[in-house]
Amino acid sequence: MKNIPFNIPPYIGAEENYIKEAILSKKICGDGAFTKKCNEKLEELTGTKKALITTSGTSALEMAAILCDIQPGDEVIMPSYTFVSTANAFVLRGAKIVFVDIRPDTMNIDEKLIEDAITDKTKAIVPVHYAGVACEMDTICEIAKRHNLLVVEDAAQGVMSYYKGRGLGSIGDFGCYSFHETKNYSMGEGGAVLVNRDDCVERAEIIREKGTNRSRFIRGQVDKYTWVDVGSSYLQSELNCAHLYAQIDDPTIINNNRLKSWNLYCELLSPLAKEGYIELPVIPDECEHNAHMFYIKTKDIEERSKLISYLKENGISAVFHYIPLHSSPAGLQFGRFCGEDKYTTKESERLLRLPMYYGLAKEDISYVCEKVKEFYEYK
């Protein structure tokens, strides 16, 4: 019987040599050559004004919350269908989270419902680009501009994804990436904050450097550095950055491979979808995705649970995803749901993620699809 894991961290072969190079440089604590190369590469790929590698996607979100000057009592709008870090970064600053329902096609925040959630306490909107598929950013940014709100893109899953030709994370005021081992490009644990405003670049450097103006000192702009603002230790190790740079130096290697796998899943499962057994992911015309995940939707949670068990019996690891935050104990304490939960819970209970990673063999994809069809007794 086959054994197909849900995820294998990406590895293209150059990582060890780059890590060794970082070690021999005798500069491994961060902001060395590989950190700078990663920052510059992300700026090149996205067109952002400033990219800064961080210790995690979570810390990138925390930096964004500080840059937004979130204060106790402020409200922040976001979908409930997301990872806890999206909300927690703002809760740590004292904000109340206002959850809005999602669209059933993309699993992204429903842009048409955002305006109803705005109050005089609203400070920011946080769209989450689920599965690397962009939210409707033109509408979201227009609403934000009209109400004088900030936009923080949670693009944790969105490296090498685009909306109308613009890199995800580079469209709002701030964007946040993750380089966790489950992401398309990985450094084990890591992330990046994208700063799209000239007036916030220097403060972002200060926050990332524990609240000091050390970056200005390194550039020779001040003769000594000192504590000038709030901040924390968000600076990533050179060893992690060396690992990441091996993968993003030419990001098309991983991206093209994953897209081939994603397209093969689509091809093989389309007959099952056409017969109404399952639903496949939807990619709007204006979105260029990065094949971060491949999911299907079953009839309901009971069918999903049975399918997960059936695949497991056949050596295939398939998993569900987020439990909506608004129904969690902390979500009930720190947030509220605005309007009707028409799709968030229902759609989250139907969604099943199939194995997807760099180097996933074609025969393994075929085997997964064969077993999904067997479950539905599809001939």
Side-chain angles (χ1 to χ4, degrees), residues 199-252:
D199 62 337
C200 291
V201 169
E202 185 174 318
R203 190 174 187 221
E205 292 178 333
I206 289 168
I207 291 167
R208 179 168 165 267
E209 277 277 19
K210 310 170 188 68
T212 73
N213 58 350
R214 184 172 178 271
S215 292
R216 295 196 71 200
F217 171 71
I218 291 173
R219 290 194 293 265
Q221 295 171 318
V222 293
D223 58 6
K224 58 184 177 181
Y225 71 91
T226 187
W227 181 23
V228 297
D229 201 347
V230 296
S232 191
S233 186
Y234 295 128
L235 190 62
Q236 181 61 279
S237 155
E238 268 293 282
L239 303 182
N240 296 66
C241 290
H243 188 282
L244 176 65
Y245 188 69
Q247 298 172 13
I248 66 171
D249 184 24
D250 181 0
T252 62

Side-chain angles (χ1 to χ4, degrees), residues 131-169:
V133 178
C135 298
E136 178 41 60
M137 290 305 296
D138 281 353
T139 301
I140 292 170
C141 289
E142 189 275 328
I143 291 170
K145 183 178 180 180
R146 191 150 29 88
H147 292 273
N148 196 29
L149 303 176
L150 296 163
V151 175
V152 177
E153 296 176 75
D154 184 337
Q157 303 169 359
V159 179
M160 289 294 286
S161 286
Y162 299 86
Y163 171 79
K164 297 184 177 180
R166 300 179 66 186
L168 299 193

Side-chain angles (χ1 to χ4, degrees), residues 261-278:
S261 294
W262 195 97
N263 290 332
L264 183 57
Y265 267 128
C266 258
E267 177 188 337
L268 296 178
L269 291 175
S270 285
L272 204 60
K274 288 177 182 177
E275 293 293 329
Y277 290 98
I278 61 172

